[in-house]
């Protein structure tokens, strides 16, 4: 288990389990056993039990008395709701990015786009998904609000497994890179209206592709 600096043991277990649930390693309705997970992660049952409580608060698991803890995960409606919320918040984020972005962050975004175009030619889907996430991560960093960054980062993680299916639509990867380029150009021109409109359309396109793939 990765030992992130600043996290308590229960927080480390929580983040690991949340990542595994959201990535589909633990599918819906599967049982999470304290002893088994404790052995796998090399911790006692106490931090695992504490992590279960946090996961339940987020609606990712449900503990049934005298039975056990089961994964509820993210359903289709949750995914739809998350993308609608993300669309609204990313719109705000992009407006703030225009005001706060540094040249270093612009350079990072340009590099991500160049790498994306390179991996498009190599059909590197896995790498493209990572680069897509990196593009949005830099935007969250550049908005100048740690609160908005935290919220959007969490929402982005919540739908990470679904995004794998989104990129399977023919031509989606190419379109996504083109959308990222247009968003960056609007940001560089300090055009809040166009940048916000482009990010909204980008999120709409992702959601439409997810729905085509059964989400």
């Amino acid at each position: 288990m990765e030992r992130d600096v600043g996290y308590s043991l229960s927080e480390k277990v929580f983040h690991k389990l949340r990542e595994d649930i959201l990535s589909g390693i633990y599918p819906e309705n599967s049982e999470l056993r304290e002893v088994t997970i404790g052995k796998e992660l090399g911790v006692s049952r106490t931090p695992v039990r504490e992590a279960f409580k946090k996961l339940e608060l987020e609606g990712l698991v449900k503990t049934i008395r005298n039975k056990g803890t089961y994964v509820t995960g993210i359903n289709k409606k949750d995914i739809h709701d998350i993308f609608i919320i993300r669309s609204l918040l990313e719109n705000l984020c992009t407006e703030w990015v225009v005001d706060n972005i540094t040249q270093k962050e612009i350079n990072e975004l340009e590099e991500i786009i160049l790498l994306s175009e390179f991996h498009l030619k190599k059909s590197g889907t896995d790498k493209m998904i990572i680069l897509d996430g990196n593009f949005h991560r830099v935007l969250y960093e550049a908005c100048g609000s740690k609160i908005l960054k935290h919220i959007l980062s969490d929402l982005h993680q919540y739908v990470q497994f679904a995004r794998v299916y989104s990129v399977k639509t023919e031509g989606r990867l190419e379109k996504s890179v083109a959308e990222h380029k247009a968003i960056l150009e609007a940001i560089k021109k300090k055009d809040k209206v166009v940048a916000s409109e482009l990010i909204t359309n980008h999120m709409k396109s992702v959601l439409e592709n997810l729905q085509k793939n059964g989400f």
Side-chain angles (χ1 to χ4, degrees):
M1 182 176 61
E2 186 176 345
R3 304 271 170 169
D4 294 323
V5 176
Y7 283 141
S8 68
L9 196 55
S10 65
E11 287 173 328
K12 291 170 188 173
V13 175
F14 162 71
H15 284 287
K16 176 69 169 98
L17 290 177
R18 183 171 71 165
E19 181 180 344
D20 288 347
I21 290 171
L22 295 175
S23 63
I25 292 175
Y26 292 117
E28 187 177 1
N29 299 320
S30 60
E31 184 177 4
L32 299 179
R33 298 178 181 273
E34 289 179 10
V35 175
T36 303
I37 290 173
K39 287 181 179 178
E40 289 175 351
L41 301 182
V43 299
S44 68
R45 295 176 65 175
T46 300
V48 177
R49 191 178 301 118
E50 291 172 353
F52 283 0
K53 291 177 182 177
K54 292 179 183 178
L55 290 167
E56 189 160 20
L57 287 174
E58 291 204 358
L60 294 176
V61 306
K62 183 176 182 180
T63 299
I64 302 174
R65 191 173 181 180
N66 299 324
K67 284 193 174 182
T69 299
Y70 299 86
V71 174
T72 53
I74 299 293
N75 59 34
K76 291 180 181 180
K77 184 180 184 304
D78 294 331
I79 291 171
H80 181 271
D81 291 349
I82 287 168
F83 270 97
I84 296 300
I85 294 167
R86 267 190 68 190
S87 178
L88 295 170
L89 291 180
E90 295 231 9
N91 188 300
L92 175 63
C93 175
T94 304
E95 288 189 6
W96 289 359
V97 166
V98 169
D99 291 330
N100 294 291
I101 195 166
T102 65
Q103 187 59 50
K104 180 182 177 182
E105 288 163 337
I106 289 174
N107 293 343
E108 282 186 71
L109 291 171
E110 289 177 335
E111 183 177 357
I112 289 168
I113 289 172
L114 285 173
L115 286 170
S116 298
E117 291 174 330
F118 171 79
H119 286 285
L120 268 178
K121 299 174 183 177
K122 302 288 185 179
S123 299
T125 302
D126 291 343
K127 186 65 176 178
M128 289 293 295
I129 293 171
I130 294 171
L131 289 167
D132 174 82
N134 288 344
F135 183 87
H136 289 273
R137 175 187 56 77
V138 175
L139 290 182
Y140 303 160
E141 292 278 355
C143 77
S145 168
K146 65 180 181 181
I147 304 300
L148 187 55
K149 170 192 167 185
H150 175 73
I151 294 170
L152 281 169
S153 296
D154 269 358
L155 290 175
H156 192 268
Q157 186 180 17
Y158 265 50
V159 290
Q160 62 175 315
F161 82 97
R163 289 166 53 240
V164 175
Y165 293 90
S166 172
V167 300
K168 288 182 178 180
T169 303
E170 187 175 354
R172 178 56 207 159
L173 286 174
E174 290 83 356
K175 187 176 180 183
S176 181
V177 174
E179 289 166 354
H180 284 177
K181 288 181 73 172
I183 291 165
L184 178 55
E185 286 306 308
I187 290 171
K188 288 163 67 175
K189 292 176 182 177
K190 302 290 185 181
D191 194 329
K192 290 185 181 181
V193 175
V194 172
S196 297
E197 181 180 341
L198 289 170
I199 198 76
T200 298
N201 290 338
H202 175 61
M203 299 305 299
K204 182 180 178 181
S205 294
V206 175
L207 181 56
E208 286 174 351
N209 275 279
L210 286 172
Q211 290 171 333
K212 288 177 183 177
N213 284 281
F215 286 93

